[in-house]
């Protein structure tokens, strides 16, 4: 066994793939303390006072951006939101030039979402500020993976040895990739399920069980995670119709009944009711979908605190 | 390392402090104990059980983690960052007499952070401070109301408080540290 981590090694959080199991545990443990802060009458601590965090979102996002912003404010950081529609990107500025201009204002952390996989890595090499990946293309969405793991651990008290089914569009999903890296590192048994047309090449090398039968994935599961069918990406004819998709892969009460009695149902949002998940399931007693949103704030507070409170970047550089 | 306080002495000291708390507050009505993590928490629990034995009443007890309120978070260029733990104050502190409990009083910066943290939970009527050891060298105008033992120290010495709940044994030790020590 490795020693338990007391800090993160890097200045950035680019993906779960770069983290060790003990770093993941450190973030989840820190998030537990952060969750308590959100339950106080005064939901604010001074830990990141005087730190500047820039939220740079190249893709539309309500949930993730709001969640980061709440997390930053609860830690007393100064936050700036840059919405791309009103920025100089529309005037043709490149990502690197935007980053260098922001860097000149000396931020401590840049939270970025971008449509291109690897955009955060590019930024990380250019900037001294810590970079937090809030979703890059089809690559990773590490804070979503962490908040999902936090939610599972909160309910099941562990991750090791659990059967976790992930169902839906595995090809385009950065949530899938971050969850697979995280859950397999923590010793969970992951079942990936979806139409063959929506599976990434090399899925068999990710260390997960692969199936196209949703019943097989759901059977005996401790947690079922539904992924969004990204309607905006569905021009490629991946399956005949949304109605047929729901019939074959949609999470219905009958399919939930195959899982363990205490199964939890998860969805990273935004949901397409009647496409990947039935409303009875989304609003049912097993659903922890809104807990995931609440836990997102705690997990993001933990990540920001561990990155900005570290002072370890000079030592590493 | 020299032993400043053994298990028996620690027990007597805490009993004496418990009686002082009762005396000063004329009873334990409306009193709550809040231990500062890590070692203030078991000390607060022990005081609560002595108070229960003495007065026959339960005293509300909580735990405060001050990591997020520290003023030296960004300054430590080396060494691990303090791990954030849970704060557990399962009662309202509004209008209460809060007895804050810590193991060692040194620069006063921990207590400064604890006061900030506590005040974010409400408006206590008073805040009083218990420390097992006061070693001097204050950097802030902070003073304990109840002191287990005053120990004159130099900056080159370290005080170790060991408690059976955490360390398997009750004792307070003083150690000479070689080389530079802030």
């Amino acid at each position: 066994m490795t020693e338990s981590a007391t800090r993160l090694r890097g200045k950035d959080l680019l993906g779960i793939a770069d983290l060790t199991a003990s770093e993941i545990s450190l973030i989840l443990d820190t998030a537990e303390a952060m969750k308590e802060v959100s339950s106080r009458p005064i939901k604010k601590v001074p830990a990141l006072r005087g730190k500047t965090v820039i939220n740079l979102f190249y893709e539309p996002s309500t949930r993730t951006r709001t969640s980061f912003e709440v997390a930053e404010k609860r830690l007393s950081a100064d936050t700036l939101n840059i919405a791309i529609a009103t920025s100089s990107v529309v005037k043709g500025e490149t990502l690197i030039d935007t980053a260098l201009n922001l860097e000149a204002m000396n931020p401590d952390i840049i939270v970025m979402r971008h449509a291109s996989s690897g955009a955060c890595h590019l930024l990380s090499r250019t900037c001294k500020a810590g970079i937090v990946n809030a979703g890059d293309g089809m690559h990773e969405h590490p804070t979503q993976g962490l908040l999902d793991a936090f939610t599972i651990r909160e309910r099941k008290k562990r991750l090791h040895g659990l059967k976790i089914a992930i169902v839906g569009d595995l090809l385009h999903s950065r949530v899938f990739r971050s969850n697979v890296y995280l859950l397999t590192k923590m010793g969970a048994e992951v079942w990936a399920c979806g139409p063959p047309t929506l599976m990434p090449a090399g899925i068999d090398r990710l260390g997960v069980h692969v199936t196209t039968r949703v019943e097989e994935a759901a059977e005996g599961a401790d947690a079922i995670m539904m992924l969004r069918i990204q309607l905006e990406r569905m021009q490629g004819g991946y399956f005949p119709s949304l109605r047929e998709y729901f019939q074959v892969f949609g999470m219905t009460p009958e399919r939930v009944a195959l899982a363990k009695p205490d199964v939890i149902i998860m969805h990273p949002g935004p949901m397409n009711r009647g496409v990947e998940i039935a409303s009875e399931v989304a609003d049912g007693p097993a659903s922890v979908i809104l807990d995931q949103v609440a836990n997102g704030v705690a997990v993001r507070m933990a990540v920001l605190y561990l990155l900005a409170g570290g002072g370890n970047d000079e030592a590493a550089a | 390392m020299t032993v400043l306080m053994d298990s028996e002495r620690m027990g007597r000291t805490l009993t004496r402090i418990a009686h002082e708390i009762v005396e000063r507050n004329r009873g334990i009505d409306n009193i709550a104990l809040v231990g500062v993590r890590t070692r203030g928490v078991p000390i607060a629990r022990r005081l609560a059980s002595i108070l229960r034995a003495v007065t026959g009443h339960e005293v509300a007890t909580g735990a405060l983690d001050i990591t997020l309120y520290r003023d030296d978070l960004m300054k430590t260029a080396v060494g691990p960052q303090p791990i954030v733990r849970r704060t557990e104050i399962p009662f309202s502190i509004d209008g209460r007499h809060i007895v804050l409990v810590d193991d060692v009083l040194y620069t006063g910066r921990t207590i400064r952070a604890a006061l900030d943290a506590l005040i974010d939970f409400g408006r206590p009527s008073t805040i009083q401070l218990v420390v097992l050891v006061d070693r001097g060298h204050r950097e802030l105008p902070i003073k304990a109301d109840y002191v287990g033992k005053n120990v004159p120290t130099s900056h080159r010495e370290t005080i170790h408080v060991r408690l059976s709940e955490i360390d398997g044994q009750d004792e307070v030790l003083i150690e000479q540290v070689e080389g530079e020590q802030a």
Side-chain angles (χ1 to χ4, degrees):
Chain A
M1 284 299 286
T2 46
E3 227 177 292
S4 61
T6 55
R7 69 172 185 212
L8 303 179
R9 289 163 306 154
K11 73 177 176 72
D12 311 306
L13 176 66
L14 302 177
I16 301 294
D18 311 320
L19 297 177
T20 63
S22 71
E23 284 177 309
I24 292 167
S25 294
L26 172 67
I27 296 173
L28 299 182
D29 292 345
T30 307
E32 276 184 32
M34 295 298 181
K35 189 163 181 180
E36 181 270 322
V37 173
S38 293
S39 67
R40 295 181 187 182
I42 298 178
K43 304 186 231 340
K44 203 176 182 74
V45 291
L48 296 192
R49 201 174 50 192
K51 299 274 167 179
T52 306
V53 182
I54 296 179
N55 299 315
L56 182 59
F57 278 68
Y58 282 87
E59 274 189 335
S61 159
T62 309
R63 192 183 333 262
T64 306
R65 194 187 52 72
T66 313
S67 178
F68 268 108
E69 199 177 338
V70 170
E72 290 150 11
K73 294 202 156 126
R74 291 200 177 150
L75 290 171
S76 305
D78 296 314
T79 67
L80 284 112
N81 291 305
I82 300 182
I84 288 314
T86 59
S87 78
S88 45
V89 174
V90 294
K91 300 178 187 166
E93 191 174 59
T94 66
L95 174 59
I96 295 282
D97 283 334
T98 304
L100 288 173
N101 277 280
L102 294 176
E103 179 90 339
M105 296 177 222
N106 204 13
D108 298 280
I109 289 194
I110 299 174
V111 176
M112 185 170 79
R113 165 166 293 188
H114 199 281
S116 302
S117 307
C120 293
H121 290 73
L122 186 67
L123 209 61
S124 155
R125 287 194 295 272
T126 316
C127 292
K128 284 211 308 289
I131 309 297
V132 178
N133 181 356
D136 62 330
M138 300 191 287
H139 174 232
E140 278 220 50
H141 189 355
T143 56
Q144 179 72 43
L146 288 161
L147 78 89
D148 289 337
F150 182 87
T151 306
I152 299 170
R153 203 178 76 156
E154 190 174 49
R155 293 303 182 108
K156 306 290 172 194
K157 308 295 171 216
R158 66 192 167 105
L159 294 169
H160 191 89
L162 297 180
K163 174 174 177 180
I164 296 168
I166 307 180
V167 184
D169 178 356
L170 311 174
L171 176 63
H172 298 108
S173 178
R174 50 199 174 208
V175 176
F176 170 65
R177 252 160 288 257
S178 287
N179 263 301
V180 166
Y181 292 139
L182 198 160
L183 294 170
T184 53
K185 275 179 203 225
M186 303 310 278
E189 185 192 335
V190 180
W191 284 72
C193 174
T197 46
L198 286 175
M199 284 188 187
I203 190 170
D204 46 323
R205 291 199 301 272
L206 287 175
V208 299
H209 303 270
V210 181
T211 176
T212 53
R213 285 188 57 242
V214 68
E215 289 79 9
E216 190 183 6
E219 192 179 0
D222 295 281
I224 300 176
M225 205 179 282
M226 301 309 296
L227 298 176
R228 189 169 70 95
I229 287 299
Q230 306 185 28
L231 299 173
E232 66 274 19
R233 296 197 210 257
M234 286 305 138
Q235 308 311 314
Y238 295 104
F239 50 80
S241 72
L242 292 176
R243 192 179 150 79
E244 181 167 330
Y245 181 85
F246 181 70
Q247 304 242 306
V248 181
F249 294 102
M251 196 45 60
T252 58
E254 296 73 37
R255 286 173 178 150
V256 172
L258 300 170
K260 292 226 177 90
D262 63 345
V263 68
I264 55 173
I265 307 295
M266 309 172 74
H267 194 300
M271 275 185 281
N272 299 307
R273 288 169 184 264
V275 177
E276 66 262 2
I277 188 164
S279 271
E280 302 96 288
V281 174
D283 305 327
S287 167
V288 295
I289 295 170
L290 293 177
D291 294 351
Q292 288 174 270
V293 178
N295 291 339
V297 174
V299 162
R300 290 176 177 120
M301 285 172 78
V303 167
L304 292 165
Y305 168 75
L306 290 168
L307 291 178
N312 52 352
D313 41 327
E314 280 100 49
Chain B
M1 280 205 271
T2 319
V3 178
L4 290 176
M5 200 185 273
D6 59 15
S7 163
E8 204 177 316
R9 173 118 194 231
M10 194 185 287
R12 279 201 300 271
T13 302
L14 291 177
T15 305
R16 191 243 309 153
I17 291 175
H19 281 97
E20 285 178 13
I21 293 172
V22 178
E23 185 186 10
R24 175 183 298 211
N25 296 284
R26 299 186 183 86
I28 55 161
D29 286 349
N30 216 14
I31 283 195
L33 297 165
V34 174
V36 178
R37 285 202 193 273
T38 307
R39 285 180 177 69
V41 177
I43 298 175
R45 293 219 180 89
R46 288 193 204 182
L47 285 171
S49 81
I50 300 169
L51 287 170
R52 191 191 312 119
V54 170
T55 66
H57 295 288
E58 285 294 331
V59 185
T61 309
L64 190 65
D65 184 280
I66 57 119
T67 316
L68 298 169
Y69 291 83
R70 288 167 66 119
D71 59 4
D72 58 352
L73 260 188
M74 314 304 165
K75 291 197 172 162
T76 45
V78 287
Q81 201 171 327
I83 290 178
V84 191
R85 300 187 197 283
R86 287 179 74 91
T87 289
E88 286 157 12
I89 301 187
F91 47 83
S92 165
I93 69 166
D94 286 331
R96 269 215 153 114
H97 299 291
I98 299 297
V99 179
L100 199 58
V101 182
D102 202 2
D103 54 351
V104 179
L105 181 57
Y106 184 24
T107 61
R109 287 178 192 270
T110 302
I111 300 304
R112 195 282 308 159
L115 291 173
D116 275 1
L118 207 49
I119 282 163
D120 276 358
F121 283 87
R123 187 183 185 280
S125 176
T126 62
I127 301 178
Q128 304 167 21
L129 176 61
V130 172
V131 294
L132 192 57
V133 176
D134 183 347
R135 61 168 294 189
H137 303 288
R138 215 76 75 241
E139 294 169 5
L140 297 171
I142 280 169
K143 185 172 176 299
D145 300 278
Y146 313 92
V147 178
K149 187 176 171 64
N150 281 296
V151 183
T153 60
S154 83
H155 280 300
R156 297 167 64 100
E157 289 166 322
T158 312
I159 302 277
H160 298 280
V161 172
R162 294 196 176 142
L163 299 171
S164 55
E165 293 91 330
I166 297 169
D167 315 288
Q169 194 181 352
D170 281 347
E171 60 184 358
V172 179
L173 306 166
I174 185 164
E175 185 185 13
Q176 285 285 337
V177 178
E178 296 303 317
E180 252 189 314
Q181 182 77 15

